[in-house]
């Protein structure tokens, strides 16, 4: 009898050890890993942005480049009438280049909540990511999704002194692949304002990444902005000088 | 009856020094109040002019939801036809379009949000006084001219390899830009560090979802207006506005209307609402700016209340001096009663003395107050050192230089109020004199 118990124990011990192993991972660490996976050391992508509002619907194609957390450059390549329009982000500064008047315009901080290129993204969305870690406290909850996969719900609550626009952000990530599934943004009153969902998860250059993301404002459920990556490259050589006003103005 | 007039007049000069002091104090109060009322009148006038004359007009037509949610798409359709109908019924009317954009200056590198207002140069001056030169801090008003500018075509030096390939360049051939004119609110111009002669670059989201991007020449800067407009107003013509915002044809956000001289505001509103039908909702300026409407309605009550408070001092002085006079002449009143005057006759006599003093003081006070008001009306009281940008109340900004003006109210109201205060103050001494017992009075020491 005793022997039988020992055998059972030996057989099941590894399983029990494995089950006990993921001792509550740190939300901050997980987000950092999600971030790295998305961005790599540097990245470049060709994307299609579909925007639908109550009054119009349009499609833009653009190229986006990033290096580290602080440097990124976006440039519209289609439609022709707006091709060349670009946005450069260096740290927390943003500039738009406008090919029609051939001028660069710095986005003032008062316009950070304004729409970026007419989409449901705000200028702040492009700038803020590097500040999430500094401005928010992280809480992590594990749960099981509808398909049985283990999910992490990471809740970001602003630190008391942080000057932020959101009252709360909840990011849901698949535990196995660390692929984000859903991001929900709440205002200061705790009201859900918009929902960002990720889809078409694909393996690219040994990374598992979602190739579409879609943002829907909660008060206008018929409107959305959808980004589809047509091409995505990671860890490509890009000089810092690539992210300069000089290059932003290139035609 | 004549006796009262004569005796009243003669009696005030029996103690010249005391009467002179009392009359002097009363006259001083009247002068102050004449000036204060003139000052208030000018202030209220400026406020009405600022809101009705400069921007709102008497009545406005909007999309029913526009005032609650100033959205680019809340439009009044079929605007030209509606404008024709309004003109046909004798109303002066002007269409306006609004939109928000980002404005930046090349020279200073600064940028700021701007509220664009597109007006019709033909119709706007029939409704508002926006176009007057005295509204401008510097520069001039819109003339509707445009110029062409060929963009800078020198290529940026140096280039980088594009890891995504397809490096054939993006933009189309350089096209000549149509450069329109803009008049800016004072604080907006200050924020951007621009003035007449500078060019600003504007980016907007157009109604069709594309990006609007145009250059504008700053040709003028407005003086004080309202707080919001000082901070963000960018006034352009409707044609220039249209290149930025591409609204659907023949649709506007607002039609501002002036009713014909003498026409009733509510009746005009009802008539205009009938003309507009379901194209938009007509509201009077009082419905659009309830806070200011209330202020204008209650201004007279407020002025009178304030006036009485200023008169409290004068009233106490009148009471004191009349009481002194009654005690001084107590034997005289005793004798008068002894020879058969009834108490009411004594009361009337004292009142006549007070009346004469008030008349003299009123004439002297008005004689001093009117020139003072006229003088301040001409030179103004300059508060620039205290409030260089003027000061705001209920969203209206007032000039830092304050003026005053003489109105009918500002002359007769202080005088009527003085009479009321004087009679009220003299009542107690007069009753005291009237009810006196002759024997006690005559032996009074």
């Amino acid at each position: 009898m005793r022997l039988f118990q020992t055998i059972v124990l030996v057989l099941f011990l590894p399983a029990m050890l494995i089950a006990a192993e993921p001792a509550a991972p740190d939300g901050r660490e997980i987000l950092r890993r999600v971030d790295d996976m998305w961005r790599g050391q540097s990245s470049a992508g060709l994307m299609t942005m579909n925007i639908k509002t109550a009054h119009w619907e349009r499609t833009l194609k653009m190229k986006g480049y990033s290096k580290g957390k602080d440097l990124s450059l976006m440039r519209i390549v289609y439609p022709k009438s707006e091709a060349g329009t670009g946005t450069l982000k260096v740290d927390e500064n943003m500039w738009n280049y406008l090919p029609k008047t051939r001028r660069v315009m710095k986005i003032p901080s008062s316009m950070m909540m304004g729409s970026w290129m007419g989409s449901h993204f705000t200028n702040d969305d492009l700038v803020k990511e590097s500040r999430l870690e500094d401005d928010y406290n992280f809480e992590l909850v594990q749960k099981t999704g509808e398909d049985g996969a283990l999910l992490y719900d990471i809740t970001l609550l602003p630190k008391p002194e942080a000057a932020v626009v959101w009252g709360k952000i909840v990011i849901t990530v698949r535990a196995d692949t660390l692929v984000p599934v859903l991001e929900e943004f709440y205002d200061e009153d705790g009201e859900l304002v918009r929902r960002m969902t990720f889809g078409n998860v694909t393996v690219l250059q040994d990374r598992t990444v979602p190739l579409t993301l879609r943002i829907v404002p909660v008060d206008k459920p018929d409107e959305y902005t959808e980004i589809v990556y047509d091409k995505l490259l990671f860890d490509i050589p890009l000089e810092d000088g690539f992210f300069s006003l000089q290059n932003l103005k290139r035609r | 009856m004549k006796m009262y007039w004569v005796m009243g007049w003669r009696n005030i000069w029996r103690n010249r020094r005391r009467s002179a002091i009392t009359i002097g104090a009363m006259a001083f109060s009247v002068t102050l109040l004449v000036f204060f009322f003139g000052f208030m009148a000018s202030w209220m006038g400026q406020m009405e002019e600022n809101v009705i004359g400069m921007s709102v007009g008497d009545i406005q037509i909007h999309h029913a939801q526009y005032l609650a949610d100033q959205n680019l798409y809340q439009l009044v359709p079929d605007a030209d036809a509606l404008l024709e109908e309004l003109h046909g019924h004798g109303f002066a009317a002007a269409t306006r379009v609004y939109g928000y954009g980002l404005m930046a200056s090349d020279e200073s590198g600064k940028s700021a949000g701007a509220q664009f207002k597109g007006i019709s140069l033909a119709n706007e001056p029939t409704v508002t006084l926006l176009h007057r030169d005295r509204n401008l801090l510097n520069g001039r008003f819109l003339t509707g001219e445009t110029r062409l500018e060929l963009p800078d075509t020198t290529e940026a030096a140096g280039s980088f390899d594009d890891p995504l390939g397809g490096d054939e360049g993006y933009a189309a051939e350089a096209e000549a830009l149509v450069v329109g004119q803009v008049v800016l609110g004072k604080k907006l111009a200050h924020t951007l560090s621009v003035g007449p002669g500078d060019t600003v670059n504007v980016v907007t989201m157009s109604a069709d979802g594309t990006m609007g991007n145009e250059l504008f020449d700053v040709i003028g800067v407005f003086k004080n207006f309202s707080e919001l407009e000082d901070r963000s107003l960018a006034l352009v013509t409707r044609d220039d506005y249209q290149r930025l915002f591409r609204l659907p044809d023949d649709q506007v956000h607002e039609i501002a209307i002036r009713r014909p001289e003498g026409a009733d505001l509510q009746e005009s509103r009802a008539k205009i609402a009938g003309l507009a039908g379901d194209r938009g909702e007509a509201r009077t300026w009082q419905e659009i700016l309830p806070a200011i409407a209330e202020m204008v309605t209650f201004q007279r009550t407020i002025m009178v209340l304030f006036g009485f408070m200023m008169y409290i001092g004068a009233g106490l002085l009148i009471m004191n001096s009349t009481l002194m006079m009654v005690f001084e002449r107590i034997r005289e009143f005793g004798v008068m009663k002894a020879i058969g005057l009834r108490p009411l006759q004594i009361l009337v006599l004292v009142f006549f003395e007070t009346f004469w003093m008030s008349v003299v003081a009123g004439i002297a006070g008005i004689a001093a107050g009117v020139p003072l008001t006229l003088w301040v009306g001409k030179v103004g009281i300059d508060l620039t050192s205290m409030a260089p940008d003027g000061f705001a109340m209920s969203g209206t900004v007032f000039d830092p230089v304050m003026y005053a003006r003489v109105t009918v109210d500002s002359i007769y109201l202080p005088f009527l109020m003085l009479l009321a205060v004087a009679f009220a103050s003299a009542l107690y001494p007069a009753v005291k004199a009237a009810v006196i017992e002759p024997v006690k009075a005559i032996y009074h020491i």
Side-chain angles (χ1 to χ4, degrees), chain B residues 265-344:
Chain B
L265 186 63
Q266 292 305 329
E267 279 170 26
S268 302
R269 194 206 68 86
K271 201 164 156 191
I272 289 166
L275 288 176
D278 54 10
R279 284 178 284 196
E281 204 167 294
R283 291 183 183 86
T284 64
W285 71 270
Q286 291 156 335
E287 292 169 281
I288 295 164
L289 297 163
I292 289 174
E294 232 163 80
M295 237 162 120
V296 172
T297 314
F298 292 123
Q299 61 146 318
R300 212 152 171 229
T301 320
I302 294 167
M303 271 163 63
V304 169
L305 260 167
F306 246 83
F308 274 122
M309 269 152 71
M310 285 172 78
Y311 270 163
I312 286 176
L316 287 174
L317 205 80
I318 294 165
M319 192 190 284
N320 177 53
S321 101
T322 318
L323 208 56
M324 288 280 286
M325 178 271 288
V326 168
F327 285 139
E328 217 175 65
R329 282 161 46 199
I330 198 149
R331 283 177 209 199
E332 182 186 321
F333 288 123
V335 170
M336 285 165 100
K337 284 199 93 171
I339 59 170
L341 253 68
R342 274 171 291 124
L344 187 68

Side-chain angles (χ1 to χ4, degrees), chain B residues 10-238:
Chain B
R10 219 171 44 200
N11 280 343
I12 60 171
W13 301 114
R14 284 171 47 182
N15 192 328
R16 277 164 195 261
R17 198 189 319 168
R18 191 174 59 225
S19 293
I21 290 172
T22 311
I23 290 173
M26 288 160 79
F28 181 69
S29 304
V30 173
T31 306
L32 277 186
L33 209 59
V34 166
F35 173 70
F36 173 70
F37 281 11
F39 191 70
M40 285 285 285
S42 157
W43 217 44
M44 289 290 158
Q46 200 194 338
M47 186 159 86
E48 261 189 79
E49 187 179 281
N50 270 358
V51 299
I52 302 174
M54 289 287 277
S55 60
V56 179
D58 291 325
I59 294 159
Q60 296 191 337
I61 301 175
H62 299 106
H63 181 282
Q65 302 305 317
Y66 182 75
L67 287 184
D69 165 27
Q70 305 205 345
N71 178 317
L72 195 59
Y73 302 100
Q74 317 269 31
L75 292 156
V76 177
D78 200 14
D80 287 341
L82 184 51
L83 204 67
E84 283 299 310
E85 287 169 47
L86 288 166
H87 286 156
H89 283 78
F91 293 106
T95 53
R96 293 155 179 187
V97 282
Y98 294 92
Y100 188 80
L102 184 60
M103 185 178 275
S105 152
D106 283 347
E107 285 83 10
S108 68
K110 291 173 182 161
S111 51
Q115 181 71 46
F116 281 84
K117 176 173 181 174
I119 58 163
S120 137
L121 287 183
N123 291 326
E124 189 66 32
T126 65
V127 178
T128 61
L129 302 166
L130 203 61
H131 57 284
R132 290 179 311 182
D133 280 341
R134 52 169 283 211
N135 300 333
L136 295 169
L137 193 66
N138 48 41
R140 61 207 163 90
F141 195 71
L142 303 174
T143 60
E145 291 159 52
T146 53
R147 67 179 172 88
L148 289 177
E149 182 176 302
L150 214 60
D152 172 24
T153 50
T154 50
E155 288 296 322
S159 81
F160 297 87
D161 286 335
D162 185 346
L164 293 167
D167 224 359
E168 69 288 337
Y170 314 99
E173 285 298 298
E175 273 177 63
L177 290 165
V178 182
V179 183
Q181 300 171 324
V182 64
V183 182
L184 299 177
K186 177 168 126 172
K187 282 184 190 154
L188 178 59
H190 183 79
T191 308
L192 296 170
S193 311
V194 293
D198 292 326
T199 300
V200 289
N201 183 22
V202 176
V203 179
T204 60
M205 284 311 304
S206 304
D208 62 2
T210 60
M211 193 173 278
N213 179 213
E214 301 289 339
L215 295 180
F216 283 88
D217 286 333
V218 179
I219 59 162
V221 177
F222 279 116
K223 266 188 206 165
N224 287 330
F225 217 111
S226 76
E227 224 176 350
L228 185 73
E229 280 156 322
D230 283 354
R231 204 173 54 230
S232 60
L233 178 67
L235 191 77
V236 297
T237 65
R238 254 186 84 186

Side-chain angles (χ1 to χ4, degrees), chain A residues 137-190:
Chain A
N137 288 317
F138 293 70
E139 265 171 42
L140 186 122
V141 177
Q142 297 188 20
K143 67 173 187 190
T144 312
E146 282 168 25
D147 56 351
L150 184 65
L151 300 175
Y152 294 142
D153 259 354
I154 305 164
T155 304
L156 283 70
L157 291 165
K159 292 180 180 171
E161 71 282 4
V164 293
V165 283
W166 304 112
K168 183 169 86 167
I169 306 174
V170 180
I171 304 175
T172 307
V173 177
R174 271 184 75 109
D176 52 357
T177 54
L178 291 185
V179 170
V181 179
L182 172 70
E183 283 189 31
E184 289 177 316
F185 296 81
Y186 295 79
D187 65 13
E188 283 109 342
D189 305 323

Side-chain angles (χ1 to χ4, degrees), chain B residues 330-408:
Chain B
I330 198 149
R331 283 177 209 199
E332 182 186 321
F333 288 123
V335 170
M336 285 165 100
K337 284 199 93 171
I339 59 170
L341 253 68
R342 274 171 291 124
L344 187 68
Q345 287 173 304
I346 304 250
L347 192 86
V348 171
L349 179 66
V350 175
F351 274 152
F352 263 95
E353 290 176 24
T354 310
F355 171 75
W356 276 122
M357 287 210 288
S358 302
V359 169
V360 174
I363 291 170
I366 291 167
V370 169
L372 176 70
T373 314
L374 288 174
W375 178 67
V376 170
K378 219 171 113 189
V379 300
I381 300 172
D382 195 348
L383 299 175
T384 314
S385 57
M386 283 160 65
D389 295 327
F391 37 92
M393 229 172 113
S394 303
T396 311
V397 175
F398 294 93
D399 255 5
V401 183
M402 309 284 295
Y403 293 95
R405 72 172 187 226
V406 179
T407 64
V408 181

